[in-house]
Amino acid sequence: MDRERTWWKEAVVYQIYPKSFNDSDGDGVGDLQGVIDRLDHVESLGADVIWLNPVYESPQADNGYDISDYRAIHEEYGTMEDWEDLLAEVHDRGMRLIMDLVVNHTSTDHEWFRKSREGEDGYREYYYWRDGDGEEPPNNWKSGFGGSAWERDEEVGEQYLHLFDRTQADLNWDNAEVREDVYEMMNWWLEKGIDGFRMDVVNLVSKPEGLPDGDPEQDWTGIEHFANGPNAQAYLEEMAERTYDDYDTMTVGECVDVDVETASDYVSADGPMDMLFHFEHMFVDVGDRWLSPAEWDLTDLKAVMSHWQTELDGWNSLYLTNHDQPRIVSRFADDGEYRRESGKLLATLLFTLSGTPYVYQGQEIGMTNYPWSSLDELDDLQSIGKVEEAMEAGEVDAFEEVQDIVRARSRDNARTPMQWDESEHAGFTDGDPWLAVNPDYEEVNVAAAERDGDSILQYYRTLVDVRDENDVLVYGDYQLLIPDHEELWAYRRTLTTDGGTDEVLVVLNFDDTETVATLDDAERAGEVVVANYDEVPTTDGVLTLRPYEARVYELE
Ligand code: TEU
């Protein structure tokens, strides 16, 4: 483990999805002034860095991940002045701000794509245009949102590649002009004083010569070709050299279909990124297709996370959800009777593993998945695309048939408006919210959590302090214990410095029943550092944990 002390290793990152965070002008859509108005909440949590999802000019087909102008702010979110005020307010509070960098693709409304369609000098090669065979696509690659990854443009008479929505055309990074324009744009934002980037699907930017067909058995056909392509490492290294390497920044790359070995090339000490988001733990409950659910076992989740804890040559990012994933209490624990204990249990996991923890808005109050009951209620291109694809294939006749899967898996679960209080629309807006507010908002909201000294929110604040005060939780080695236990996740963290060796034991019960285990380490269990139940009984090696109980002990 690379123990060199660095601010972003000791940081806690709070992720804000501006469209759903807080609406200041009553148009039902969150905005930048709304973020500024709620910075006290973020600061009070003890967050050090804010990751802002895309706020750039965009037709909003994919809620901002379809950018039409990288140097302008989306009108519904406010103005560049509002953004500059936000940056100043964040810095005045001693926090940092990282922006979302979306350069694998642009919106088809972007000037580059318009010039490319018109074949303006040199712009045609900014994207992937191919003849294809009449109506047939040039290859069998699929879009991550369902359907073919190719769209025919009748006027151009050719097809263009889009690994996501047809309004998100993939940039041709093999074209040095494209890379130059991207680096210039990044330096423009760095000069404005941002503290880094979260980089969207950044390991997809290099596509192999000839764009060969993919294995049709793959749910995302072609991924073995367009993920970690032939020049991905080289382009990321060039990007780092030409932009953020000259600044005191933090970079985290979203990398689909990456394993520990490839990831180590990207984030090792001399790699082009500080950390990355992998998806291996995000697929423990996903079958071979998006629409096919799979029962998940704790032993699988433990195995995946422990592998990254011990085998990554670099620094881990720690996340259990974000704007693309379901709510964690609903997914990994219990969002009913034990929602409070579950929220705290998962927080304990996130703050006691080695790496930088990311908290997604609403996670700190234990927000839950939404009971979607029709396709019309949904906004997320991926959920809608996957259901429509199955309907077109005749696999699904009615929404009811896939309702449970959509309720469990839809990205919209993470995008329902933030729940601030018990007032109408959960205090998110005085207008009509762009997406439905979760009906549990009268119970699950920030105001109620503030009034309740034993709330999940208060527990997050405690964990932030505990992590600040215990370097072993940041820089310590990780050792999984009882790997085959199906209800308990137990591990030891160990840090040896000149001042001696610190050890802590973390024990987490992922079951809704009392669970007993014998742990040698528990014989050395000393002071309780933090726990999500009051009265923690002493132990002589035999541990009896209550439903969704979490305990962190100092080891003597
Ligand atoms: O997501 C990439 C991506 O592949 C995820 O949407 C993935 O499909 C999902 O996590 C389910 O497993 C990024 C952004 O985070 C996402 O919001 C965008 O829609 C997408 O890229 C295109 O920019």
Side-chain angles (χ1 to χ4, degrees):
M1 175 186 302
D2 151 14
R3 282 213 184 83
E4 189 218 334
R5 302 185 74 96
T6 316
W7 62 264
W8 44 265
K9 290 178 182 172
E10 297 165 15
V12 171
V13 182
Y14 188 80
Q15 179 191 353
I16 292 179
Y17 193 72
K19 198 165 186 165
S20 303
F21 192 62
N22 189 37
D23 172 24
S24 69
D25 59 7
D27 65 354
V29 177
D31 50 49
L32 293 172
Q33 187 55 50
V35 175
I36 293 172
D37 295 347
R38 294 290 186 178
L39 282 180
D40 286 353
H41 169 72
V42 179
E43 185 182 5
S44 74
L45 196 63
D48 307 284
V49 178
I50 290 176
W51 156 24
L52 194 60
N53 284 101
V55 294
Y56 316 96
E57 193 168 297
S58 160
Q60 294 287 316
D62 188 22
N63 294 340
Y65 281 94
D66 49 320
I67 298 171
S68 51
D69 184 343
Y70 288 104
R71 290 181 173 81
I73 299 295
H74 176 57
E75 196 191 346
E76 282 178 318
Y77 294 157
T79 63
M80 187 57 77
E81 287 65 42
D82 292 328
W83 180 85
E84 279 149 4
D85 292 348
L86 172 63
L87 182 67
E89 288 271 354
V90 168
H91 284 167
D92 290 354
R93 294 159 186 270
M95 295 191 285
R96 289 179 163 101
L97 181 73
I98 67 171
M99 295 286 279
D100 215 306
L101 178 75
V102 187
V103 289
N104 171 71
H105 46 267
T106 71
S107 165
T108 48
D109 285 8
H110 193 287
E111 179 203 16
W112 295 342
F113 189 79
R114 180 177 52 69
K115 289 177 174 175
S116 184
R117 288 186 76 244
E118 291 152 12
E120 207 171 306
D121 18 308
Y123 279 91
R124 179 55 55 87
E125 289 67 39
Y126 264 50
Y127 297 86
Y128 290 88
W129 292 98
R130 295 290 185 281
D131 290 345
D133 166 12
E135 288 309 309
E136 280 311 299
N139 67 18
N140 66 356
W141 293 4
K142 288 185 64 184
S143 156
F145 296 159
S148 169
W150 294 89
E151 178 78 5
R152 169 169 290 285
D153 184 304
E154 295 311 332
E155 270 172 61
V156 175
E158 289 191 0
Q159 305 183 38
Y160 63 87
L161 177 67
H162 61 88
L163 289 181
F164 294 93
D165 187 57
R166 61 180 186 72
T167 65
Q168 294 166 300
D170 279 57
L171 282 168
N172 172 12
W173 273 64
D174 295 339
N175 177 344
E177 298 292 320
V178 167
R179 300 198 306 274
E180 285 311 313
D181 280 358
V182 167
Y183 304 156
E184 203 187 304
M185 176 270 288
M186 293 173 69
N187 285 320
W188 185 84
W189 280 102
L190 288 163
E191 278 305 305
K192 288 177 88 58
I194 65 170
D195 304 289
F197 291 107
R198 176 267 185 188
M199 304 190 283
D200 192 59
V201 286
V202 77
N203 68 322
L204 302 187
V205 297
S206 170
K207 283 76 174 180
E209 195 62 40
L211 307 177
D213 271 349
D215 166 5
E217 292 313 305
Q218 282 269 11
D219 185 30
W220 198 352
T221 309
I223 196 163
E224 72 273 28
H225 293 303
F226 54 71
N228 312 306
N231 301 311
Q233 183 80 22
Y235 290 158
L236 290 176
E237 286 171 358
E238 180 189 67
M239 178 170 72
E241 278 152 30
R242 298 291 309 285
T243 63
Y244 48 79
D245 274 2
D246 304 337
Y247 298 82
D248 176 18
T249 56
M250 166 187 142
T251 52
V252 54
E254 181 201 34
C255 293
V256 290
D257 202 38
V258 73
D259 60 18
V260 161
E261 289 68 36
T262 307
S264 297
D265 297 338
Y266 290 142
V267 297
S268 63
D270 51 16
M273 300 187 284
D274 297 321
M275 59 190 110
L276 58 79
F277 297 132
H278 69 86
F279 284 79
E280 292 196 348
H281 58 318
M282 291 291 111
F283 281 94
V284 289
D285 59 350
V286 179
D288 54 10
R289 297 181 55 213
W290 191 89
L291 273 174
S292 53
E295 283 312 306
W296 69 283
D297 291 330
L298 181 64
T299 49
D300 297 338
L301 186 60
K302 290 196 287 189
V304 167
M305 299 283 269
S306 302
H307 181 60
W308 283 80
Q309 286 284 295
T310 56
E311 303 312 312
L312 180 68
D313 171 13
W315 191 254
N316 273 290
S317 69
L318 302 171
Y319 78 98
L320 293 172
T321 187
N322 56 35
H323 62 292
D324 289 337
Q325 302 293 336
R327 290 289 181 181
I328 59 177
V329 287
S330 303
R331 185 181 192 181
F332 295 119
D334 176 71
D335 61 6
E337 178 187 359
Y338 292 107
R339 185 183 66 81
R340 177 194 298 266
E341 292 79 5
S342 298
K344 296 177 179 182
L345 172 92
L346 296 167
T348 309
L349 172 67
L350 209 61
F351 280 75
T352 59
L353 288 175
S354 169
T356 298
Y358 289 74
V359 178
Y360 178 65
Q361 65 185 49
Q363 186 180 324
E364 73 276 21
I365 57 171
M367 283 177 64
T368 65
N369 282 351
Y370 185 94
W372 308 105
S373 48
S374 76
L375 212 49
D376 307 344
E377 286 182 318
L378 292 169
D379 167 83
D380 166 32
L381 286 175
Q382 185 184 52
S383 312
I384 296 168
K386 292 290 186 178
V387 173
E388 288 180 343
E389 183 182 47
M391 286 180 168
E392 275 145 33
E395 296 157 1
V396 170
D397 300 324
F399 180 80
E400 287 61 37
E401 294 168 38
V402 291
Q403 177 172 282
D404 292 350
I405 302 167
V406 170
R407 285 183 174 186
R409 175 128 325 124
S410 176
R411 305 189 309 172
D412 277 337
N413 284 314
R415 300 170 182 189
T416 58
M418 181 64 176
Q419 297 164 209
W420 295 105
D421 56 41
E422 297 84 355
S423 68
E424 194 187 15
H425 308 314
F428 164 72
T429 180
D430 300 337
D432 288 332
W434 72 277
L435 190 65
V437 171
N438 193 307
D440 68 2
Y441 75 90
E442 289 177 335
E443 180 208 341
V444 181
N445 65 69
V446 171
E450 288 288 9
R451 292 192 298 269
D452 171 355
D454 185 34
S455 65
I456 299 172
L457 176 61
Q458 307 295 1
Y459 189 78
Y460 265 87
R461 291 172 174 148
T462 302
L463 282 173
V464 170
D465 296 343
V466 163
R467 198 168 176 276
D468 271 352
E469 292 143 15
N470 293 275
D471 272 354
V472 63
L473 293 177
V474 180
Y475 294 107
D477 288 336
Y478 168 96
Q479 173 64 50
L480 179 63
L481 307 171
I482 53 173
D484 304 325
H485 203 294
E486 298 197 352
E487 288 82 32
L488 292 187
W489 188 339
Y491 46 97
R492 181 190 321 116
R493 301 290 311 278
T494 308
L495 181 65
T496 302
T497 61
D498 309 349
T501 296
D502 287 335
E503 284 185 296
V504 297
L505 168 66
V506 180
V507 190
L508 310 168
N509 181 13
F510 274 74
D511 197 63
D512 60 2
T513 61
E514 196 171 79
T515 303
V516 180
T518 304
L519 270 179
D520 302 347
D521 277 53
E523 288 164 15
R524 298 191 290 124
E527 192 206 325
V528 174
V529 178
V530 66
N532 67 344
Y533 275 76
D534 298 341
E535 309 318 311
V536 175
T538 56
T539 169
D540 56 1
V542 179
L543 291 166
T544 305
L545 277 90
R546 289 156 282 194
Y548 301 107
E549 182 166 5
R551 298 181 192 168
V552 181
Y553 291 99
E554 270 181 15
L555 287 182
E556 287 154 356

